[in-house]
Amino acid sequence: MDCESGNDFSETGNSEVEKFQTMFLNKLTAVHGVCLQQASPWQQYTALAAVVRDLIGADWQQTKQLYATSETKQVYYLSIEFLLGRLLGSNLLNLGLYDVADKALSKLGICINELEQAEPDAGLGNGGLGRLAACYLDSMASGSLPGHGCGLRYKYGLFEQRFVEGMQYEYPDGWLKDGYAWEYRRPDDAVEVMFGKDEIETVLAVPYDVPIIGYQNNVVNTLRLWSAEAAIGSSACLIDGHQDCQSEIDNCNSIEAITNILYPDDSTYQGKVLRLKQQYLLVSASLKSILRDYKAQNRPVKDLDKYVAIHINDTHPALAVPELMRILLDEEHIAWDRAWSITINTLSYTNHTVLPEALEKWPVDMFKALLPRIYEIINDINEHFCHDLWLCYPGEWDKIAQMAVIADNQVHMAHLAIVGSHSVNGVAKLHTEILKTQVMKNFSDYYPIKFNNKTNGVAHRRWLIKANAALAKTITKTIGEDWLKQPAALAEFAKYADDSGLQQDIAAVKRTNKLNLAKYVWEKYDIRLSVDSIFDVQIKRIHSYKRQLLNALHIMDLYNKIKAQPNIDITPRTFIFGGKAAAGYYEAKATIKLINTIAGIINNDKLQDKLKVIFLEDYNVSLAELVIPAADVSEQISTAGKEASGTGNMKLMMNGAITIGTLDGANIEIKEAAGEDNIFIFGLTANQTTDFYKYGGYHSWDIYHSDDRIKTVMEQLVNGFMPVPKDEFSVFYSSLLHENDQYFVLKDFNAYAEAHQRLDNRFKDQAAWRRMAINNIAQSGRFAIDRTFAEYSEDIWTVNPVRPQEETNEATLDKACARDSRASILMQ
Ligand code: 26V
């Protein structure tokens, strides 16, 4: 975007810049056969990525060798989602060469930010769970931990969101169409994965490795993404025993479809089968590859749990339990009891949601047909487990049925994951408590020591050092460099909360970031945002429990207020939304349409610039990096008890935004850390919402009838106030009134409006506001993923770091240049 904004934390030597420049220019010629003047931005981007590939090669090799020869345990993080976003900038940052590259390119008249934007945003995930997985990879590499990611290489990432007349439409995200600079295809490491019984279908899983670069420590870890392929010409591709080219190709296409898209629509039987196939492919291919590497170290399989920890990220990879058992029983010929203890000791599981509709279950018939041997093993696991339960709870049939792995003709994946792991964790204190006392109470009573909490965190490298380089610089100027590698040291920053010079500095940084976002909005939407207004941000998946609707109704109320009293004293506000709705989720899509409709009304009304609303299209990791540094206010307003943790709340806090939120998920810990003067809390608590669910006592119609403000906005949804067909928003009228407002939107409305009033008043005292911002930044260190990751390492995985020999940038560049010149001599 802005070529002027250098990220230089330190003086970079000229010789490094020159070497880098030479490597870049050589690459343009070697890779694309062009000179600088001929090169398109995309060619420049790929050449720069190729320079980075050269620079990490030796470290990658060294890291692999170190892991293969060390006594240390290795961690494998299995996840159906990895929401990586773009890697060029963060790779350069982690290599310690961002400033060098920036300078080298500037001297050639190239803006590095523009090249960064030529990279496709790898959106191999939905939201929180997938981004968390990406943050873990960053943290494992930066902490010198032998940690590997295992996932799927979807041909299409999460859909691209476009608005037409305010409605969301989904377009395929062909992120791979021009090739992907960060992947290395490893055909030699392909493995076969088997489905079915009578007609066995063999799928070739081909790995693509993505290097994961540690923060200035010479570590390069690996994310291995599996792609489904048919082995052309192999027996798996023969139809009815005779070669029929066309049907062979059709068959290949159906096999390759397994890794076509993330979360295929599961409303049909075929769709469900495809999801189950994906999950098994991920698990089976990963375990085969893990076992192969393990055996190459000449260690006995019975010691697997001493050297390998396998983590199950939510239930999607829970088939790791029966698949590991299958390998140990059928291929390694280990007896059941021994195999079972190895399995449990190797595996651990994280739960990420308490929503019943997201707790996975598969129909037994489908399972049997697709994975007969795996089903048999699950059945045996279930029998052993129910037998043990019977000894503990004789005669308690109901309890045993509630806990069984197979019940009601369904396989309960969460139960399978709990039974087959030695550790089960939630992702924030409240969430773990809810798992232990409600959702998984029976299991927690039975296995008390398995359950533990690991509050989420976020990679401060991406979300602060990289996304908000100016703030990072201000912090370093104030408290020194320690926090870069030890984010807990950010706490020092709080000592300067009253320093007016610092307050002005952070205000200036925020203003620049707001200008950057305003520029984007102006260029893309032709809408002018005032950077003097409060930038109030709600960015996350659209879901009823996240209550974007509460935010929208409150904006309508504010609008009504301003219309009634045009001179009312309100600090100008810009409400900014971002987020995708699941393609089949009607109410979520209606929420997007509602917010866009409200935005249309408000932005076209002359309100002395008091109010603006914008819904940013196609929210993804890259857009988050633009929005989060520009936010003044962070909306974290889920129904208490529903949001497992939230991680956007942490990213926004780290960037000095003030939270307005409920006592839900990690908001509770954010409040504890920041202090209650530095956050705006409102609304029902989780105990209160639980009591209403259990005992009743809430009637949304009563609120509607007794509260004029609420009644007005509710009527505006359906009385023609909105320029939309008559029934467009009746879905909200139904859910809030006819279905008694399951998420307590109306119940919390007044508390929410009142909290906004407090916030508005506080913003008028700019010094007080900046003090709050500094305190939030200072206390965000405990939400850095390095803290979370250290807890996983110690309590769950029991693993230690392995440190490679460190090398200076200069030496890395010299070696790479030497390789480069050797190569060019050879080419002459
Ligand atoms: C559920 C579903 C159901 C519909 C089809 C697609 C799909 C995909 C994933 C899931 C499970 C979602 C779990 C999830 O993303 N949870 C989020 O995890 C974050 C990291 O722990 C946490 O901060 C969020 O609060 C939590 O919602």
Side-chain angles (χ1 to χ4, degrees):
M1 293 227 141
D2 178 5
C3 274
E4 304 302 312
S5 71
N7 282 16
D8 48 333
F9 289 105
S10 58
E11 277 302 303
T12 40
N14 261 339
S15 64
E16 286 182 30
V17 172
E18 276 156 22
K19 280 174 200 156
F20 198 95
Q21 215 172 56
T22 311
M23 286 185 78
F24 172 71
L25 292 171
N26 285 347
K27 268 290 172 244
L28 271 181
T29 315
V31 175
H32 294 297
V34 294
C35 69
L36 182 60
Q37 287 69 28
Q38 296 166 319
S40 69
W42 185 79
Q43 287 174 326
Q44 293 173 6
Y45 156 70
T46 45
L48 183 55
V51 170
V52 174
R53 283 169 65 121
D54 275 6
L55 289 170
I56 60 174
D59 282 348
W60 204 1
Q61 175 223 316
Q62 183 190 221
T63 307
K64 283 178 196 163
Q65 193 165 354
L66 198 64
Y67 294 170
T69 52
S70 90
E71 283 293 305
T72 320
K73 207 176 190 184
Q74 321 254 330
V75 180
Y76 295 87
Y77 195 87
L78 268 55
S79 179
I80 206 94
E81 301 187 20
F82 283 96
L83 205 47
L84 297 173
R86 293 183 177 132
L87 291 179
L88 177 62
S90 65
N91 282 350
L92 282 167
L93 172 77
N94 285 7
L95 278 175
L97 288 171
Y98 192 93
D99 302 338
V100 173
D102 190 6
K103 289 206 171 110
L105 294 170
S106 301
K107 286 192 177 174
L108 298 171
I110 299 170
C111 173
I112 191 165
N113 294 140
E114 269 166 31
L115 296 201
E116 285 178 59
Q117 282 162 42
E119 175 170 347
D121 183 295
L124 308 184
N126 254 306
L129 170 148
R131 183 54 229 174
L132 187 76
C135 284
Y136 275 123
L137 295 179
D138 182 89
S139 188
M140 290 198 278
S142 299
S144 307
L145 192 92
H148 315 257
C150 305
L152 294 178
R153 177 182 179 269
Y154 305 102
K155 186 168 173 195
Y156 300 97
L158 183 59
F159 65 85
E160 183 192 326
Q161 175 193 57
R162 289 192 212 155
F163 296 150
V164 180
E165 291 179 1
M167 278 288 291
Q168 167 178 297
Y169 287 84
E170 301 92 29
Y171 288 81
D173 163 38
W175 71 295
L176 286 172
K177 69 180 184 338
D178 299 324
Y180 184 49
W182 305 113
E183 68 180 11
Y184 295 65
R185 181 178 162 92
R186 308 281 194 212
D188 299 340
D189 288 347
V191 298
E192 289 188 339
V193 175
M194 254 59 96
F195 294 97
K197 193 175 184 173
D198 301 327
E199 276 179 67
I200 290 187
E201 181 182 45
T202 303
V203 174
L204 194 65
V206 182
Y208 286 72
D209 287 352
V210 178
I212 306 294
I213 302 169
Y215 186 68
Q216 301 175 16
N217 63 354
N218 296 95
V219 170
V220 180
N221 282 348
T222 302
L223 165 62
R224 178 155 270 201
L225 298 174
W226 297 97
S227 178
E229 290 185 13
I232 296 271
S234 80
S235 58
C237 254
L238 286 183
I239 309 295
D240 297 334
H242 67 272
Q243 192 97 23
D244 167 348
C245 195
Q246 186 55 49
S247 55
E248 181 171 327
I249 290 170
D250 291 346
N251 185 40
C252 293
N253 288 340
S254 89
I255 287 179
E256 279 160 18
I258 297 176
T259 46
N260 249 350
I261 51 170
L262 170 75
Y263 299 120
D265 172 17
D266 68 346
S267 58
T268 65
Y269 187 84
Q270 280 318 313
K272 281 199 181 63
V273 170
L274 201 52
R275 279 204 195 180
L276 189 53
K277 277 188 167 177
Q278 288 188 333
Q279 299 190 354
Y280 186 64
L281 185 97
L282 165 65
V283 157
S284 181
S286 302
L287 284 176
K288 282 181 178 166
S289 152
I290 293 169
L291 263 285
R292 183 174 53 198
D293 287 353
Y294 176 75
K295 286 182 164 184
Q297 294 180 312
N298 291 317
R299 293 198 175 111
V301 174
K302 67 175 179 44
D303 288 345
L304 186 73
D305 52 340
K306 293 196 184 69
Y307 296 100
V308 171
I310 299 175
H311 201 80
I312 303 174
N313 194 30
D314 218 85
T315 53
H316 320 112
L319 290 175
V321 177
E323 176 66 2
L324 184 52
M325 281 299 280
R326 186 191 65 75
I327 295 173
L328 297 176
L329 295 169
D330 299 359
E331 295 178 12
E332 302 298 329
H333 310 291
I334 294 175
W336 179 279
D337 288 353
R338 186 75 217 233
W340 185 238
S341 86
I342 296 173
T343 299
I344 290 184
N345 291 335
T346 305
L347 301 178
S348 48
Y349 154 62
T350 299
N351 170 283
H352 293 269
T353 179
V354 297
L355 296 187
E357 62 270 29
L359 293 177
E360 289 190 298
K361 299 180 188 103
W362 298 108
V364 161
D365 288 343
M366 175 187 295
F367 222 108
K368 270 190 195 159
L370 189 67
L371 302 167
R373 178 61 184 137
I374 293 297
Y375 181 74
E376 247 170 41
I377 292 172
I378 294 177
N379 208 20
D380 291 347
I381 292 172
N382 189 41
E383 280 191 7
H384 279 90
F385 177 56
C386 291
H387 173 78
D388 292 347
L389 286 177
W390 176 258
L391 296 178
C392 187
Y393 307 117
E396 295 191 44
W397 288 110
D398 282 353
K399 189 193 262 281
I400 295 171
Q402 277 166 27
M403 296 174 75
V405 176
I406 303 172
D408 310 325
N409 260 318
Q410 289 181 311
V411 181
H412 293 240
M413 300 301 273
H415 298 189
L416 180 63
I418 299 170
V419 175
S421 304
H422 66 279
S423 166
V424 177
N425 75 283
V427 289
K429 280 186 197 160
L430 174 69
H431 172 231
T432 302
E433 218 33 53
I434 290 173
L435 291 180
K436 286 186 0 188
T437 57
Q438 299 172 40
V439 182
M440 296 176 173
K441 177 172 185 335
N442 286 339
F443 288 96
S444 167
D445 291 347
Y446 184 66
Y447 296 124
I449 53 162
K450 276 195 191 186
F451 282 77
N452 63 92
N453 178 57
K454 296 285 168 282
T455 299
N456 283 163
V458 299
H460 73 294
R461 288 166 287 276
R462 178 176 291 261
W463 296 106
L464 177 49
I465 304 176
K466 169 152 190 313
N468 200 344
L471 178 57
K473 238 164 127 177
T474 306
I475 298 171
T476 300
K477 204 176 74 191
T478 313
I479 62 169
E481 284 194 333
D482 288 356
W483 72 277
L484 293 168
K485 286 201 168 184
Q486 286 145 7
L490 275 173
E492 276 289 294
F493 203 44
K495 291 189 184 148
Y496 304 88
D498 290 314
D499 180 320
S500 66
L502 177 64
Q503 288 183 359
Q504 274 164 24
D505 285 353
I506 67 150
V509 167
K510 185 62 81 184
R511 195 181 167 84
T512 309
N513 295 337
K514 287 167 84 171
L515 276 167
N516 279 341
L517 177 58
K519 179 163 175 266
Y520 173 86
V521 169
W522 170 247
E523 284 168 1
K524 184 156 179 193
Y525 301 97
D526 226 2
I527 293 176
R528 203 179 278 280
L529 304 184
S530 157
V531 295
D532 294 322
S533 68
I534 300 176
F535 277 22
D536 182 315
V537 167
Q538 189 172 19
I539 38 175
K540 50 185 80 249
R541 291 294 294 225
I542 313 301
H543 205 293
S544 299
Y545 85 81
K546 295 180 187 279
R547 299 202 294 193
Q548 281 92 355
L549 181 59
L550 175 60
N551 193 343
L553 296 182
H554 173 250
I555 295 171
M556 285 169 66
D557 179 58
L558 271 183
Y559 175 71
N560 292 339
K561 232 172 165 172
I562 296 172
K563 292 301 274 186
Q565 299 168 257
N567 293 321
I568 191 172
D569 179 23
I570 285 181
T571 313
R573 277 287 180 122
T574 301
F575 289 96
I576 297 164
F577 292 85
K580 296 177 183 176
Y585 190 170
Y586 180 76
E587 192 166 342
K589 287 180 137 176
T591 305
I592 293 177
K593 170 84 186 181
L594 174 67
I595 294 166
N596 277 324
T597 306
I598 295 173
I601 296 172
I602 291 179
N603 298 346
N604 291 311
D605 201 335
K606 288 272 163 280
L607 301 169
Q608 306 162 34
D609 269 347
K610 283 199 165 81
L611 214 50
K612 282 266 162 65
V613 182
I614 176 120
F615 202 131
L616 301 172
E617 220 173 25
D618 202 34
Y619 177 64
N620 60 11
V621 174
S622 303
L623 193 50
E625 289 172 43
L626 180 67
V627 176
I628 290 171
D632 294 307
V633 173
S634 161
E635 297 272 353
Q636 308 299 337
I637 60 176
S638 51
T639 308
K642 298 289 183 193
E643 186 70 89
S645 162
T647 45
N649 46 2
M650 301 169 183
K651 293 164 198 162
L652 283 153
M653 174 197 199
M654 203 172 256
N655 280 273
I658 313 301
T659 306
I660 178 167
T662 46
L663 287 173
D664 197 18
N667 297 351
I668 296 177
E669 289 155 78
I670 288 179
K671 171 180 160 257
E672 280 168 16
E676 46 190 341
D677 294 342
N678 296 312
I679 190 166
F680 297 96
I681 294 290
F682 72 94
L684 295 174
T685 63
N687 284 337
Q688 289 170 323
T689 59
T690 308
D691 282 353
F692 279 129
Y693 288 131
K694 262 200 202 153
Y695 309 116
Y698 169 47
H699 308 286
S700 56
W701 278 111
D702 293 351
I703 294 188
Y704 174 83
H705 287 306
S706 62
D707 188 314
D708 286 345
R709 279 161 74 191
I710 290 180
K711 190 167 186 205
T712 305
V713 294
M714 286 303 295
E715 281 173 357
Q716 285 171 331
L717 292 176
V718 290
N719 69 2
F721 170 81
M722 309 263 181
V724 293
K726 190 169 152 296
D727 282 334
E728 191 90 11
F729 299 132
S730 57
V731 56
F732 301 119
Y733 211 78
S734 301
S735 67
L736 294 181
L737 294 169
H738 298 303
E739 291 155 33
N740 201 30
D741 185 13
Q742 291 303 297
Y743 295 102
F744 305 101
V745 172
L746 302 188
K747 181 79 185 158
D748 272 347
F749 183 89
N750 281 315
Y752 180 55
E754 187 266 332
H756 266 295
Q757 190 62 57
R758 278 187 279 144
L759 187 156
D760 186 282
N761 293 339
R762 192 76 67 86
F763 194 81
K764 293 193 170 94
D765 180 351
Q766 279 289 292
W769 187 269
R770 291 166 190 166
R771 193 178 319 123
M772 289 171 75
I774 295 170
N775 278 320
N776 270 276
I777 297 163
Q779 303 308 333
S780 70
R782 86 160 83 160
F783 302 105
I785 188 114
D786 296 359
R787 185 268 313 147
T788 319
F789 150 76
E791 293 175 4
Y792 275 81
S793 297
E794 196 161 315
D795 305 341
I796 303 181
W797 303 325
T798 54
V799 288
N800 296 308
V802 191
R803 298 198 196 286
Q805 201 132 36
E806 295 201 10
E807 184 176 77
T808 62
N809 285 337
E810 182 101 46
T812 309
L813 279 167
D814 279 343
K815 282 190 203 159
C817 277
R819 280 195 300 274
D820 224 30
S821 49
R822 274 204 304 278
S824 45
I825 290 166
L826 285 175
M827 280 188 289
Q828 278 164 15

